Amino acid sequence: MTLLRRQPLSGRRLAVLLVLTLVGSTVTAAGVEYRLTDPALEVVPIDSSPRESFLSMRADAAGRLFVGGREAIFVYEPDAKSTSGGLGKRQEIFRFPADSWVYDLEIRGNDLYAMTNRALYLLPGAVTKRSGVQARRLVWGHPDYHPHQCFHGLAWGPDGYLYLSLGDMLVFYGDFRRPDHWGHWTFFCQPKGTKVPYTGVGGVLRCRPDGSDLQVVARGTRNSCGLVFDSRWNLFTHDNDHEG
């Protein structure tokens, strides 16, 4: 994992974060050659691991960097003495079962939200809590078929709802131009046991911070991995086409 930052200019600095997954125990951040098109940027290694995959990240106003992995959630606390982008050593906050794939993270107050490939979780107090962290499942029910076409992105909306994207689980099913490609399944949310029927492929959902009032915002996408609102509260996403 590396930090891309702009060289100091009149005492000001712009930082952009980039996570890299390094494969193989012999590959280290120091051994990777980075080529930047902007000469005002520099690369500062933060962390690397032959055993962990770094998939998602979210920074808070206090300078903490939260990173989601294949199973675990980590935090890097601000450290003025650190030579790794001003961040301290990796600390594990919570670990999900194997191959959970923490695809996105969001923050609300002192609470951390984690989107795995099959469910949305709330980790109360996890922004500052470093032991005894528990995960509460808020939304689940996405079919367990493909680890990369599942729940993906998170974004807070102007209405106070948490928006989440999901992929089309009918990966290898027939002709994508046919209307019968649509699938049917049931999502579950809070209060526990609440059922929300769904007909479609990929799409965008939203729920309240406590996981209640799950609603369908859009459907018909294949595999939207990220969500972001602009200053006018327009919601943007991207859609990956069918491979092959």
Side-chain angles (χ1 to χ4, degrees):
M1 184 166 60
T2 61
L3 167 68
L4 299 182
R5 67 184 180 192
R6 189 172 298 278
Q7 298 280 11
L9 179 62
S10 300
R12 302 176 65 183
R13 184 171 64 191
L14 173 65
V16 180
L17 293 172
L18 170 66
V19 167
L20 300 178
T21 300
L22 303 179
V23 181
S25 58
T26 60
V27 180
T28 64
V32 177
E33 181 181 356
Y34 299 96
R35 297 182 180 180
L36 304 176
T37 57
D38 187 343
L41 291 175
E42 62 175 326
V43 178
V44 180
I46 296 175
D47 192 12
S48 65
S49 172
R51 298 183 179 181
E52 301 289 349
S53 295
F54 301 129
L55 301 174
S56 56
M57 62 171 59
R58 188 73 58 178
D60 71 358
R64 305 179 188 93
L65 178 63
F66 297 90
V67 176
R70 187 161 181 158
E71 290 93 14
I73 299 175
F74 307 104
V75 63
Y76 299 81
E77 300 277 3
D79 183 353
K81 298 180 180 180
S82 171
T83 58
S84 300
L87 296 171
K89 298 292 185 180
R90 179 196 332 144
Q91 301 178 59
E92 183 174 314
I93 297 177
F94 188 83
R95 184 168 289 270
F96 291 98
D99 301 323
S100 289
W101 299 89
V102 184
Y103 276 117
D104 208 356
L105 299 167
E106 264 294 2
I107 296 170
R108 182 175 183 265
N110 205 30
D111 297 333
L112 189 65
Y113 290 77
M115 177 68 89
T116 70
N117 59 356
R118 293 291 168 260
L120 169 65
Y121 291 89
L122 166 64
L123 287 74
V127 170
T128 56
K129 198 174 182 180
R130 296 295 171 261
S131 63
V133 173
Q134 300 293 320
R136 180 189 179 197
R137 191 169 59 172
L138 299 183
V139 177
W140 66 100
H142 203 290
D144 185 8
Y145 181 67
H146 197 287
H148 302 308
Q149 291 190 212
C150 46
F151 281 133
H152 277 301
L154 292 174
W156 289 108
D159 46 16
Y161 279 73
L162 183 58
Y163 286 68
L164 45 150
S165 66
L166 59 139
D168 173 16
M169 293 305 298
L170 306 177
V171 184
F172 303 111
Y173 172 71
D175 188 341
F176 277 66
R177 296 169 297 180
R178 292 172 57 96
D180 63 354
H181 173 75
W182 291 54
H184 310 273
W185 60 83
T186 301
F187 287 113
F188 298 88
C189 64
Q190 300 297 329
K192 189 174 182 179
T194 301
K195 297 180 180 180
V196 179
Y198 183 84
T199 298
V201 282
V204 177
L205 310 176
R206 69 177 181 180
C207 67
R208 295 187 183 277
D210 62 358
S212 64
D213 196 21
L214 182 66
Q215 303 174 14
V216 178
V217 177
R219 67 185 92 205
T221 60
R222 180 176 180 272
N223 199 23
S224 299
C225 293
L227 295 172
V228 64
F229 284 92
D230 67 8
S231 60
R232 296 184 178 182
W233 296 115
N234 296 306
L235 179 59
F236 290 83
T237 187
H238 61 280
D239 197 12
N240 293 309
D241 293 331
H242 180 55
E243 294 92 351

